[in-house]
Amino acid sequence: MIKIFQFADLHLDSPFASRSVTKAAAARQRLRELFCRMIKYARDGEYDLVLIPGDLYEDGYLTEETMRMVVSELATLACPVFISPGNHDPYTRSSLYKCVKFSENVHIFGESKLTRIGLPDIGVDVYGYAFTSPSLPENLIANRRVSDTAAVNILCAHTDVFSPTSNYAPTTYADIEAAGFTYAALGHLHNAPEIYRSSCTAAYSGFAEGRGFDELGKGHALSVTIFDTGEVKTVEAERISFSTHSYEIRNLDVSGAEDDALVLGKLRSLISAAEYGTETSLRILLTGTVTPAYRPNVAFLERACRAELDALEVRDETLPLLGGELDADISLRGEVYRYLKDKMTSGTEDERETASLALRIALAALEERDIALFMPPEEASVTSGAANETGERSEKQNADN
């Protein structure tokens, strides 16, 4: 029995450029702590191998503090560690992998060709390669065969198995299987697909912890066990989450809303019911139809609930409620509505959004209400009578960027 612990795509010292300085520093610290938790788990679990198929850190941003931590933590493991550098942590002349001395148990693939390292004591051969620049367009697995078919043959690789024209070491599950691998530990795809199971098992661990709204929910590592009876090799793989923080996107239907108080109540109910807290970054998409005179004040909603979460982003995708009194209105209000109605119901998505915004601004202007709330922040900043609200929106945008 061979026990393997696998993780990839941690991206230590990511810049988190869209976050404030304080939030970015906290996010980087979370990733360091996550790395330490995973190494402790592997150490306590007495694994036979630790596999890291790429993007362990962000080249160009890695700090000396993080570098020392990585080297020190890996040295605490009693088992061999194999690292296959990826496109974000390539094996270059100035990289961590080249410039720092690791403990004897750490094996780093340093060439952009498939290489074998044998572990005869446990009957395992580990194959891997390195990105030596941010791209690697060659398929390094196709038409290759393992040297010893009797061994447990493991591939540790940063690769894209779904795009044959990818610049990130493209290959296929069929290529991996034909090469004779028992198990393939893969990195690069952050949103891990289902584990591939055939004569070969291949698995992406996916992102270890989300770094944005394209990586939703909890991240994972993999615990893999290979049973070798001499005739048959079977593989079991289990996803394990170590992340404490998550990014979430939720729709919130606010149909019928006439003011921010109703929307705020629904928003707080959603946060409470989902048990989101200070370890959650949440994006809310407001949907549904609201009265034409109302547009949700996203800056106010974000300020009102932000302390309950790590971060909150509210996007207004509501539409003005069509029909009713505006259909029969013979004043200029009705004329504007009827002119825009078709564009709000039958145009493209962009046309519907533009027509909806135009109606709201027109109605506000005709009723001598402040139009700043209905305009994009960058335009509202030059609109008279909207200085206070505009300043708040600009402050919010700067904090997010």
Side-chain angles (χ1 to χ4, degrees):
M1 181 178 73
I2 306 297
K3 291 178 61 180
I4 300 168
F5 186 73
Q6 170 192 342
F7 66 91
D9 300 294
L10 186 56
H11 293 271
L12 290 168
D13 282 349
S14 292
F16 292 97
S18 65
R19 311 294 299 271
S20 69
V21 172
T22 301
K23 291 285 189 180
R28 287 191 290 272
Q29 181 60 26
R30 280 200 306 267
L31 291 182
R32 296 186 196 104
E33 293 171 357
L34 173 63
F35 175 79
C36 293
R37 285 197 302 277
M38 291 193 294
I39 297 303
K40 182 180 186 302
Y41 182 88
R43 185 171 60 245
D44 293 347
E46 298 182 348
Y47 281 84
D48 298 297
L49 296 172
V50 170
L51 304 178
I52 307 175
D55 287 359
L56 172 60
Y57 62 86
E58 280 287 332
D59 190 42
Y61 294 96
L62 186 70
T63 63
E64 185 177 347
E65 175 190 4
T66 302
M67 182 172 64
R68 288 198 303 267
M69 178 205 70
V70 168
V71 174
S72 174
E73 287 293 318
L74 294 180
T76 68
L77 293 166
C79 67
V81 178
F82 290 87
I83 302 175
S84 292
N87 56 299
H88 282 264
D89 60 345
Y91 192 95
T92 63
R93 184 177 301 173
S94 60
S95 72
L96 161 67
Y97 302 131
K98 181 73 172 177
C99 298
V100 175
K101 181 174 176 57
F102 284 82
S103 52
E104 294 296 325
N105 64 314
V106 179
H107 307 272
I108 303 168
F109 293 100
E111 297 180 86
S112 55
K113 65 178 182 179
L114 193 64
T115 305
R116 177 178 69 93
I117 299 176
L119 302 173
D121 290 350
I122 58 174
V124 170
D125 283 350
V126 180
Y127 291 76
Y129 52 79
F131 277 66
T132 55
S133 72
S135 66
L136 180 57
E138 294 84 13
N139 184 340
L140 301 180
I141 310 300
N143 303 315
R144 293 296 304 272
R145 288 288 296 171
V146 298
S147 299
D148 182 1
T149 57
V152 173
N153 290 288
I154 296 171
L155 174 66
C156 181
H158 201 76
T159 182
D160 185 345
V161 298
F162 293 113
S163 175
T165 59
S166 171
N167 283 320
Y168 308 110
T171 192
T172 66
Y173 287 135
D175 289 336
I176 295 170
E177 191 168 2
F181 290 108
T182 308
Y183 177 68
L186 307 179
H188 182 64
L189 298 185
H190 288 202
N191 294 295
E194 291 294 321
I195 296 173
Y196 176 84
R197 299 182 187 276
S198 186
S199 61
C200 169
T201 300
Y204 285 91
S205 51
F207 63 88
E209 181 166 286
R211 295 177 299 135
F213 287 107
D214 56 344
E215 298 173 350
L216 301 179
K218 297 292 187 180
H220 294 93
L222 278 167
S223 179
V224 179
T225 305
I226 301 176
F227 300 92
D228 184 4
T229 65
E231 296 181 0
V232 178
K233 299 178 179 68
T234 59
V235 180
E236 296 180 357
E238 175 189 7
R239 297 194 186 280
I240 305 173
S241 180
F242 295 88
S243 59
T244 57
H245 181 277
S246 68
Y247 285 82
E248 307 288 346
I249 298 177
R250 294 288 298 272
N251 291 334
L252 182 61
D253 189 339
V254 295
S255 292
E258 298 181 356
D259 56 46
D260 290 325
L262 185 147
V263 177
L264 179 58
K266 287 192 170 187
L267 175 55
R268 282 186 164 143
S269 294
L270 183 153
I271 292 171
S272 175
E275 298 183 346
Y276 294 145
T278 55
E279 293 299 329
T280 305
S281 292
L282 178 62
R283 175 183 289 169
I284 291 290
L285 308 179
L286 300 179
T287 63
T289 55
V290 298
T291 58
Y294 169 64
R295 188 183 187 192
N297 183 342
V298 297
F300 162 74
L301 295 168
E302 288 173 348
R303 287 195 305 272
C305 296
R306 184 169 286 159
E308 303 168 30
L309 304 159
D310 177 61
L312 175 62
E313 176 184 305
V314 179
R315 294 188 176 183
D316 177 24
E317 298 186 359
T318 61
L319 294 172
L321 183 64
L322 305 182
E325 63 178 24
L326 288 175
D327 267 324
D329 194 320
I330 61 173
S331 70
L332 184 56
R333 293 172 71 251
E335 287 295 324
V336 171
Y337 167 75
R338 286 186 288 274
Y339 173 77
L340 293 170
K341 182 178 179 179
D342 285 345
K343 295 180 175 61
M344 287 188 290
T345 56
S346 60
T348 65
E349 181 178 351
D350 286 344
E351 289 171 340
R352 293 196 302 271
E353 182 178 348
T354 301
S356 169
L357 181 58
L359 176 62
R360 284 165 157 157
I361 292 173
L363 293 178
L366 290 170
E367 295 167 8
E368 298 184 348
R369 292 183 285 111
D370 191 347
I371 68 172
L373 283 177
F374 299 93
M375 298 182 67
E378 65 273 13
E379 296 182 21
S381 63
V382 295
T383 303
S384 61
N388 290 339
E389 181 59 38
T390 300
E392 292 171 349
R393 286 172 181 248
S394 298
E395 182 181 352
K396 175 261 176 190
Q397 286 189 322
N398 290 334
D400 285 349
N401 293 332

